Amino acid sequence: MDRASFLLLITISIFSDLTSANKIDLTTESPMIFPLSYSSLPPRVEDFRRRRLHQSQLPNAHMKLYDDLLANGYYTTRLWIGTPPQEFALIVDTGSTVTYVPCSTCKQCGKHQDPKFQPELSSSYQALKCNPDCNCDDDGKLCVYERRYAEMSSSSGVLSEDLLSFGNESQLTPQRAVFGCENAETGDLFSQRADGIMGLGRGKLSIVDQLVDKGVIEDSFSLCYGGMEVGGGAMVLGKISTPTGMVFAHSDPFRSPYYNIDLKQMHVAGKSLKLNPKVFNEKHGTVLDSGTTYAYFPKEAFIAIKAAVIKEIPSLKRIHGPDPNYDDVCFSGAGRDVSEIDKYFPEIAMEFGNGQKLILSPENYLFRHTKVRGAYCLGIFPDRDSTTLLGGIVVRNTLVTYDRENDKLGFLKTNCSDLWRRLAAPESPAPTSPVSQNKSSSISPSPALSESSKTDIPGVFRVGVITFEVSIIVNNSSLKPNKFPEIADFIAHELGIESSQVRLLNFSSNGNEYRLKWGVFPPHSSEYISNKTALNIMLLLKENRLRLPGQFGSYKLLEWKAEQKRKQSWWEKHLLGVVGGVMISLLVTSVMIKIVLVWRRRQQEEATYEPVSAAVKEQELQPLSSETSNA
């Protein structure tokens, strides 16, 4: 398992303002930045339903997150670039500013999830021409960028501008923005599955800053990551109203270029750790970074947290971690049911400078042991750099609002998978060229669907089963038949149905390719799939929006079909029972008749039998026949 370690992203090229009539106004030189990134830099996953979120007067971009946080160390979202749009899976990184994807001209780029960006196919593409306000290439013709990471991975290419589209669920229309068109990448960037990075950090080249500068969204965005049991989540670019119960921490943009919070104290099981608040304010302070997997505390704080947690779980057994190269703090004996770990592990609270507290449940600081069933390990580690770094694990099932306008970060514990389904709008068209924006629409509160709300839509046939076949190409032998139930769970989660409704019908393998045929069946209490659910599933399959986590390999939908189930008449439903009843009746009648016949035969035999001593009635003598007398 890769160990997350935050990396200092060095800005080799200092970008000055790029001015033109319809381009982004960057009139002052960008400061040198040191964003934090997870070392493996590779997709995040699955889903997010909104609570009581209302939109501002400016539109929002609602974007789904895909996650494989512990396997690969990041979340991804989908972004479309160009006209017509070309789709990419980008790592959501609040510690980076530049958004970049590999270009077709790149001769030193790895094999990623999607094809490279082809500028020549986009009618709206434009490379930024060299000018005194940018670093230029060797020929002095184009503006270039270069990013190097501490572990020696790097990305470099041409600064370009094109139309960016934000997905089916977004009210925000496609916008022109500056991004990096990669010509070379090394290290983990070369080997990762994701196509590139979406920079959400502070800086003029950040997607958020560009959209805010254009006046199309307000200066805020929100992220919501799925939990330990179900991944996924969503991102909202733009402002949302403050949900009830959200707690806030001050974030000083002048303290560091990262999204920092004023953490003052930690509590375990309600007991303060008595740490000096200065311990959380060293180096870069306390930083929240979506590109990091785990949590890292200064050594003094780590030792105190670890000791306090161990003290609260005397019944659990300390065991070795999954990777012998790391001294993980792991425990067994808490059971395999994730929903039960709250009974064994304590809550941890982070107290902010304003006195408000963010409660961390066990899923916010534990990860599953990959080799021992029912065992868990601390997702908290000592930091070599004295910085307190809070990665994605800390905000599982937590809506985080980056309110940059008011210099604060908001936190709300919620079900992120549930939240996404209310944000999603399956009927929305795929990203296209710009259209008029709806500036007054809002996200109204919506409860979870109840069974009674899943009514039939007139004119739609009853669907008995939906089948689809997928091809999965794996780079190693990690995908085995015993992994198929996990795929079924992810498919069910993506389709918004119960896991029991998804069944593997058959599979075959050829080398590193698996062909799997799946069936989606009605729930146990129904004879057919409700029209609403069937339409949603068919739309997802038709638009090829069903996604599987990167851990299962390269996924491709081959074909699908929905089979109609006609409503049966009473005789069709009960024919088998009727036939069975008649046959049983005939069998019982036959047996009864046989019993009666046997009984009567025995009665007759008893009536004709006479004992030897019984008096015999004298028989009348018969006259002799003539033949006898003549003899």
Side-chain angles (χ1 to χ4, degrees):
M1 179 183 296
D2 291 333
R3 183 66 66 230
S5 60
F6 77 88
L7 308 174
L8 299 181
L9 177 57
I10 305 173
T11 305
I12 302 301
S13 301
I14 300 179
F15 305 108
S16 303
D17 277 355
L18 310 168
T19 57
S20 64
N22 294 316
K23 293 183 177 55
I24 299 172
D25 182 18
L26 306 176
T27 55
T28 59
E29 191 173 74
S30 299
M32 183 169 286
I33 58 173
F34 301 92
L36 305 175
S37 259
Y38 172 42
S39 59
S40 72
L41 283 178
R44 291 195 169 167
V45 202
E46 330 141 46
D47 244 284
F48 152 61
R49 227 178 203 161
R50 76 186 170 232
R51 275 173 87 108
R52 183 173 280 282
L53 307 180
H54 297 296
Q55 199 173 347
S56 66
Q57 295 206 345
L58 293 176
N60 284 343
H62 304 154
M63 305 176 71
K64 188 172 184 178
L65 296 181
Y66 300 88
D67 122 88
D68 193 3
L69 182 62
L70 297 185
N72 291 319
Y74 53 73
Y75 278 79
T76 59
T77 190
R78 309 299 292 185
L79 191 71
W80 288 260
I81 302 176
T83 306
Q86 300 175 44
E87 185 178 5
F88 300 96
L90 302 184
I91 297 168
V92 174
D93 191 358
T94 59
S96 295
T97 52
V98 180
T99 295
Y100 51 83
V101 297
C103 275
S104 58
T105 54
C106 183
K107 298 180 179 180
Q108 191 181 328
C109 288
K111 185 176 181 181
H112 303 296
Q113 184 169 330
D114 299 288
K116 298 173 183 175
F117 176 65
Q118 301 183 62
E120 64 276 12
L121 298 183
S122 175
S123 61
S124 51
Y125 174 82
Q126 182 178 0
L128 296 182
K129 300 293 177 61
C130 178
N131 64 75
D133 296 326
C134 76
N135 282 353
C136 301
D137 60 9
D138 294 338
D139 298 328
K141 294 181 179 180
L142 302 175
C143 292
V144 295
Y145 78 95
E146 184 175 3
R147 299 282 171 170
R148 289 189 182 276
Y149 294 81
E151 90 292 1
M152 299 310 295
S153 65
S154 65
S155 170
S156 60
V158 176
L159 282 179
S160 307
E161 189 183 57
D162 207 335
L163 207 61
L164 270 58
S165 305
F166 302 96
N168 298 323
E169 289 78 28
S170 295
Q171 298 166 341
L172 181 64
T173 60
Q175 300 290 326
R176 292 192 69 83
V178 173
F179 70 100
C181 198
E182 275 189 322
N183 284 328
E185 58 186 16
T186 63
D188 289 329
L189 291 174
F190 183 90
S191 60
Q192 71 186 19
R193 174 172 163 76
D195 301 312
I197 285 181
M198 183 175 185
L200 300 173
R202 304 184 197 267
K204 284 293 185 179
L205 291 178
S206 166
I207 286 291
V208 178
D209 283 78
Q210 293 189 55
L211 296 177
V212 170
D213 290 345
K214 287 174 127 355
V216 295
I217 66 169
E218 296 192 42
D219 198 2
S220 179
F221 69 95
S222 299
L223 296 173
C224 199
Y225 298 157
M228 182 184 289
E229 191 80 306
V230 180
M235 172 173 62
V236 177
L237 298 180
K239 188 176 182 180
I240 61 175
S241 65
T242 303
T244 303
M246 178 168 275
V247 299
F248 290 92
H250 178 65
S251 182
D252 184 359
F254 302 104
R255 169 66 177 81
S256 73
Y258 320 123
Y259 294 109
N260 56 76
I261 56 176
D262 59 337
L263 179 61
K264 296 299 182 184
Q265 191 53 266
M266 300 288 294
H267 305 263
V268 176
K271 303 166 188 174
S272 175
L273 298 185
K274 307 300 181 184
L275 292 167
N276 188 327
K278 292 182 179 179
V279 74
F280 303 111
N281 198 35
E282 298 180 20
K283 201 65 183 284
H284 300 293
T286 297
V287 175
L288 184 63
D289 178 45
S290 67
T292 297
T293 307
Y294 301 104
Y296 296 82
F297 286 85
K299 189 173 182 180
E300 178 185 352
F302 166 74
I303 292 174
I305 295 170
K306 175 178 134 179
V309 170
I310 292 176
K311 184 178 179 181
E312 295 295 326
I313 52 174
S315 63
L316 301 184
K317 180 183 177 182
R318 180 81 179 268
I319 62 173
H320 293 292
D323 190 336
N325 295 317
Y326 298 98
D327 187 21
D328 289 328
V329 181
C330 302
F331 309 91
S332 65
R336 300 179 182 180
D337 189 349
V338 172
S339 64
E340 298 290 320
I341 61 175
D342 291 354
K343 297 179 181 179
Y344 297 92
F345 292 92
E347 287 184 341
I348 295 179
M350 297 195 304
E351 183 179 345
F352 304 132
N354 57 10
Q356 292 187 316
K357 295 178 181 177
L358 172 63
I359 304 299
L360 306 181
S361 61
E363 75 169 349
N364 296 121
Y365 65 86
L366 296 175
F367 65 92
R368 291 177 186 267
H369 197 297
T370 56
K371 296 182 179 179
V372 180
R373 297 292 296 273
Y376 302 89
C377 306
L378 283 182
I380 298 174
F381 302 93
D383 181 55
R384 302 186 301 268
D385 196 40
S386 300
T387 295
T388 298
L389 182 63
L390 307 177
I393 192 173
V394 173
V395 288
R396 279 172 167 167
N397 273 332
T398 303
L399 172 64
V400 182
T401 293
Y402 297 75
D403 188 348
R404 299 162 21 130
E405 181 179 359
N406 297 302
D407 296 335
K408 61 182 181 179
L409 270 59
F411 302 87
L412 177 72
K413 293 292 292 181
T414 187
N415 186 325
C416 290
S417 300
D418 197 39
L419 181 58
W420 167 256
R421 291 192 183 95
R422 275 184 276 159
L423 278 174
E427 294 81 10
S428 300
T432 56
S433 56
V435 294
S436 61
Q437 294 180 165
N438 179 0
K439 305 241 179 198
S440 60
S441 61
S442 64
I443 308 172
S444 58
S446 175
L449 288 175
S450 63
E451 286 301 318
S452 60
S453 67
K454 299 178 181 177
T455 55
D456 290 339
I457 302 174
V460 179
F461 293 111
R462 300 169 187 265
V463 176
V465 61
I466 299 174
T467 59
F468 57 94
E469 188 173 357
V470 300
S471 168
I472 299 179
I473 299 177
V474 296
N475 297 325
N476 50 51
S477 58
S478 60
L479 183 63
K480 298 178 181 179
N482 61 0
K483 290 285 187 181
F484 293 163
E486 294 182 25
I487 300 179
D489 290 340
F490 277 107
I491 291 174
H493 175 64
E494 281 284 284
L495 301 181
I497 58 179
E498 298 295 328
S499 296
S500 59
Q501 292 180 245
V502 180
R503 305 172 198 168
L504 180 64
L505 302 181
N506 57 60
F507 77 92
S508 61
S509 62
N510 182 14
N512 64 343
E513 180 185 8
Y514 284 82
R515 294 173 70 98
L516 311 175
K517 185 174 183 179
W518 299 93
V520 177
F521 294 85
H524 294 305
S525 58
S526 303
E527 298 178 17
Y528 58 91
I529 303 171
S530 70
N531 288 332
K532 182 180 180 65
T533 300
L535 287 175
N536 286 341
I537 294 173
M538 289 187 285
L539 192 60
L540 280 169
L541 295 174
K542 179 181 178 181
E543 297 181 356
N544 198 18
R545 290 193 286 120
L546 174 64
R547 302 288 178 186
L548 296 179
Q551 70 190 77
F552 296 123
S554 177
Y555 156 82
K556 183 179 180 181
L557 178 65
L558 300 178
E559 61 179 3
W560 68 274
K561 67 177 180 179
E563 298 180 9
Q564 177 188 350
K565 183 175 182 180
R566 184 173 59 85
K567 187 175 182 180
Q568 294 179 315
S569 65
W570 187 93
W571 279 105
E572 289 175 322
K573 288 183 180 179
H574 301 91
L575 180 61
L576 186 61
V578 170
V579 171
V582 169
M583 293 185 67
I584 291 175
S585 298
L586 291 175
L587 180 61
V588 170
T589 302
S590 175
V591 172
M592 292 300 296
I593 292 174
K594 187 172 183 179
I595 292 174
V596 171
L597 291 176
V598 170
W599 179 79
R600 290 185 62 183
R601 186 179 300 112
R602 288 183 177 178
Q603 289 295 103
Q604 291 174 354
E605 290 176 354
E606 291 178 357
T608 57
Y609 171 75
E610 294 183 359
V612 177
S613 59
V616 180
K617 183 178 180 180
E618 185 177 354
Q619 299 294 324
E620 183 177 358
L621 295 176
Q622 297 296 326
L624 295 175
S625 63
S626 58
E627 293 179 358
T628 305
S629 59
N630 292 334

